[in-house]
Amino acid sequence: MSADHREQQPGQQGSRIDPHVDRYALRAQGMVASEVRALFAVASRPEIVSLAGGMPNVAALPLEQIGDLVKDVVSEEGPAALQYGSAQGDPVLREQLCEYMTLEGIDAAPDDVIVTVGSQQALDLITRVFVDPGDVVLTEAPTYVTAINTFAAFQADIRHVSMDEGGVDAGELDEALTRAAREGKPVKFFYTIPNFQNPGGITMTAERRAEVMQVCERHDVLVVEDNPYGLLRYDGQAQPTLYSQGRGNVIYLGSLSKTLSPGLRIGWALAPSAVRAKLVLAAESAMLSHSTFNQLVVRRYLDTFPWREQIKTFNTMYGERRDAMLSSLSALMPRGCTWTEPEGGFFVWATLPEGIDAKAMLPRAVTERVAYVPGTGFYADGRGRASMRLSFCYPTPEQIREGVRRLVGAIEGELDLRDTFGSTLGPSAEGSQAPAADLP
Amino acid sequence: MSADHREQQPGQQGSRIDPHVDRYALRAQGMVASEVRALFAVASRPEIVSLAGGMPNVAALPLEQIGDLVKDVVSEEGPAALQYGSAQGDPVLREQLCEYMTLEGIDAAPDDVIVTVGSQQALDLITRVFVDPGDVVLTEAPTYVTAINTFAAFQADIRHVSMDEGGVDAGELDEALTRAAREGKPVKFFYTIPNFQNPGGITMTAERRAEVMQVCERHDVLVVEDNPYGLLRYDGQAQPTLYSQGRGNVIYLGSLSKTLSPGLRIGWALAPSAVRAKLVLAAESAMLSHSTFNQLVVRRYLDTFPWREQIKTFNTMYGERRDAMLSSLSALMPRGCTWTEPEGGFFVWATLPEGIDAKAMLPRAVTERVAYVPGTGFYADGRGRASMRLSFCYPTPEQIREGVRRLVGAIEGELDLRDTFGSTLGPSAEGSQAPAADLP
């Protein structure tokens, strides 16, 4: 490959400035920078109320006590904590995670668990183990943005299934599976976030869960159940996990990022034994082993800390924030706006009146000193232009109320524009576009 | 896919016991469990002197002081340390890593650095970004076992280039590149460990470095320079890095796993800016972000600790262990055995007299209460049967001397066997076999 050869490809994006452009793997073409990344940098300015990121409020943790705990790990278990570990993860921690999962009604064996760098890495390992280029992965629409990125990075054919307020549409899921079978395209798994979905804020009803499991079993398709928010419920009744209804066809993903700390990067997958073995091999080539230090810190935390009480503390705090957001939206949002009413988790999904484009509105919102994530980022196919994800996890109730006031100011400005000039939706409302990466 | 369909494939490995066997991606076929894993479990028994693993002796760190340090990170910087971070890694840490690299003679910009989960993850991200199935990756022979695993997991065509005591054979490298070009096969990079190579213990001479860089530049091929041991030199003169001789065609991998702690999982890649950007996108889909906690711990360590003195302490300790191993080998090894004499790092590569198979000998060695890694694990093509890697990093000098005594006992037993019955080499000395995974 000569410099001349490269210059003969002026149409290829970046060919003039990246001398390595001809060297990348095909899958690297699916790795694209977020179009709203720049706006996120702006959104982190102190004068902005950010309803964008999904960062938990870790400042609510008892930091002095956790400081003592991490010190004890080093001084009492340092030679182990600072050493390499196994790719599957610490055995004692895996036992504790099984105990943790009993709170979700899951009866699991430690040997079926692999500890991962957040549940994001579990998603990555699963995709790596199952997905050849062109294989179908089904997801809810909308869905978690970095799941889309991961599936795209392994060249999956990502297909969405609609949701209503009871969760994913089981009939449409059935149709999608039937269509893929007719096309002869293997469906590697259906990815779902049944509780307080990111970004929809929707929880799948018990009835819907049973229907979804029947459909997936009939089509012999794996289910990947991502449940980072399950224990953060502020009202209503917990629903049974898909895992506990499955017959060896569900891979369950858990995480301590929302109930303890994302900075420790402790997530896990619970998988049928043969699949778990493959995930461990993939993890070994991905990073040898997770941080033993972090695993022993979390082991000690789960062993010595009143962590169930800590989750209750989080639930009280996040419940107040959710209430602040829902009451502000009810009080202030212009006619024609709709939004979901989550029973837990971190997110509300809001949809704007006809003719308003949430992404086009974002610069105006930032001018009003509020930020959110435009809906298009949560689809692989360019849908979601009228919608946005609003997070209530990080700002205080007062900040949330002020943020919603500012957001409403931006929406009213767009409504004026629409009423004067027509729709603010741009011309390219259809077709694929890069998902917007953001914090989870 | 029905159960009947699965039962119609009895020849496929595992089809009877793994109901998911038809679902895996093609790349999962390259993910295989180590054949010597079971022996490693045996090797970790206390009565065994293990010359197998590459674990640094982290017990030599001042654990009380590090305990205080991690406590301060949580109590003073907890809200940041326990939160999500960026996929590229903490900016201050990246500045410090650039300062660290000046000890290797590298002049780097923090923006060109990405912090990774050990340098293993850097290798994984590089492979993910560059390697399509069937692309050629060139490595030294022998080479780091988990690098082989990672390249295999992305279905690379792994080709070896021989080494002599001065490092990789530049002429053979040239031939391999010419042959691949003739075949029309893209060579994505040449992977090398120039200092105290794992497992060879060999350091590339200054002259050889210049030749290698000329060859790679002439063929316009990227170099991946893996340098985890560079600062662990016990005698001789440091050689210039390939990175510092490159012209934007070298990706450099660094690690604190050997000079501080592998349990913190802090490695990094230093890459040309466009490549670095791709690696960050790949890291984001792989795990969102590395542990902020660990990064702030290391930041404070590099900021407040006499870490250069700590490296000197390690060098004194590891130098004594290397001396213990080399003097024991000289005193005791039977005629016909050869071994390398590393100026640093963790490993000696030993080759047995003609007709002795190191893998076949391992059960006898374990019976003698000593363990090592058979040479075959360090090749993608089944070579290395007469060789073994001996680590001197973890056991004490006394344990090393005792370990070599036991090893010599095992070799002498095999020599008796050979002299009675002929070669101990099995019939299948050629052809590919699964690499043996082990600790780095």
Side-chain angles (χ1 to χ4, degrees), chain B residues 30-41:
Chain B
M31 302 174 188
V32 284
S34 164
E35 49 186 315
V36 296
R37 183 83 49 92
L39 264 163
F40 264 96

Side-chain angles (χ1 to χ4, degrees), chain A residues 335-359:
Chain A
R335 191 199 309 260
C337 294
T338 59
W339 57 91
T340 56
E341 298 196 341
E343 294 185 328
F346 285 0
F347 308 114
V348 167
W349 180 253
T351 300
L352 299 173
E354 202 169 329
I356 307 288
D357 183 324
K359 189 155 81 181

Side-chain angles (χ1 to χ4, degrees), chain A residues 66-85:
Chain A
I66 294 180
D68 289 338
L69 183 152
V70 298
K71 175 181 163 64
D72 291 348
V73 167
V74 175
S75 56
E76 296 171 17
E77 305 175 84
L82 298 176
Q83 193 53 271
Y84 287 108

